């Protein structure tokens, strides 16, 4: 499909914005994939706060240069489907890994974490990381653990004193009941 110069410039601007707003990008070849499968991939990506787009390689290459990202030219050969992780890079990597699992036609080409290039193996390793909310909960638990131990340590003498007083009052009250 032929694009006018104006439309090409608009696409480069859109691509550049997507690159600058994403924390990570994952590239896949999609030759032979149905539009329904791509739409399902897009829906799953949106659930993770991400976007997936089919891009024109030459225009995307220009956008990457505009965004200051160096890339290997082999990443932008053939058909290219790119996922832009706007919120949760491991979540989108998992979506891409699931999409390509067991497929002969769809392959992960690689990706970018910030400006660092990722190999297909590294993209699949990202898919094995816990999602962002899980990592945040783990970090919060690690941060709060010393504080909760301190609170328990500080409260223990008062709890022990209360137990002694309660035992003493029960001991004093027991003979009166007889």
């Amino acid at each position: 499909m032929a694009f006018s110069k104006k439309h090409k410039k608009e696409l480069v601007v859109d691509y550049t914005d997507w690159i600058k707003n994403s924390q990570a990008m994952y590239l896949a070849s999609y030759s032979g994939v149905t539009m329904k499968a791509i739409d399902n991939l897009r829906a799953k990506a949106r659930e993770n706060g991400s976007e997936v787009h089919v891009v024109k390689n030459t225009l995307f290459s220009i956008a990457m240069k505009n965004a200051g990202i160096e890339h290997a030219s082999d990443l932008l050969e053939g058909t290219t489907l790119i996922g832009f992780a706007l919120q949760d890079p491991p979540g989108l990597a998992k979506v891409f890994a699931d999409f390509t699992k067991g497929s002969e036609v769809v392959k992960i080409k690689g990706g970018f974490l910030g400006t660092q290039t990722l190999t297909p193996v590294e993209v699949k390793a990202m898919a094995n990381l816990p999602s962002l909310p899980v990592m945040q909960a783990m970090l919060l638990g690690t941060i709060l653990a010393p504080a909760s131990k301190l609170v328990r340590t500080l409260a223990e003498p008062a709890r022990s004193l209360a137990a002694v007083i309660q035992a003493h009052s029960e001991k004093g009250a027991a003979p009166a009941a007889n």
Side-chain angles (χ1 to χ4, degrees):
M1 166 160 92
F3 293 119
S4 67
K5 273 191 169 186
K6 180 182 177 189
H7 187 69
K8 288 179 181 178
K9 286 181 182 178
E10 290 172 359
L11 282 175
V12 169
V13 168
D14 288 343
Y15 294 166
T16 305
D17 287 343
W18 293 332
I19 292 168
K20 289 182 178 179
N21 292 329
S22 66
Q23 298 172 12
M25 296 180 289
Y26 307 113
L27 291 76
S29 62
Y30 68 94
S31 183
V33 176
T34 65
M35 210 48 216
K36 183 177 180 177
I38 292 174
D39 287 342
N40 288 338
L41 173 67
R42 287 179 172 149
K44 288 179 182 176
R46 275 192 298 273
E47 291 173 7
N48 285 314
S50 302
E51 294 183 20
V52 174
H53 298 279
V54 172
V55 298
K56 300 267 308 155
N57 291 335
T58 53
L59 299 178
F60 193 75
S61 182
I62 294 167
M64 290 186 74
K65 287 178 186 169
N66 291 348
I69 298 177
E70 296 294 323
H71 66 283
S73 59
D74 63 329
L75 285 176
L76 295 175
E77 289 180 356
T79 58
T80 306
L81 182 70
I82 301 181
F84 298 91
L86 303 174
Q87 295 177 0
D88 186 11
L92 181 60
K94 182 162 180 49
V95 169
F96 261 67
D98 290 346
F99 182 66
T100 61
K101 190 181 293 179
S103 175
E104 293 297 319
V105 291
V106 182
K107 300 283 184 218
I108 293 176
K109 294 181 177 184
F112 297 91
L113 185 60
T115 58
Q116 181 182 354
T117 305
L118 300 173
T119 65
V121 172
E122 291 171 327
V123 172
K124 290 177 183 173
M126 285 282 291
N128 293 329
L129 292 174
S131 67
L132 187 60
V134 172
M135 284 196 285
Q136 288 172 334
M138 290 168 55
L139 178 62
L140 186 60
T142 302
I143 291 170
L144 291 179
S148 60
K149 286 181 182 177
L150 176 65
V151 168
R152 282 194 301 270
T153 302
L154 292 175
E156 187 57 36
R159 189 180 354 239
S160 297
L161 179 63
V164 168
I165 292 172
Q166 182 179 4
H168 183 67
S169 67
E170 288 174 358
K171 183 180 174 186
N178 287 333

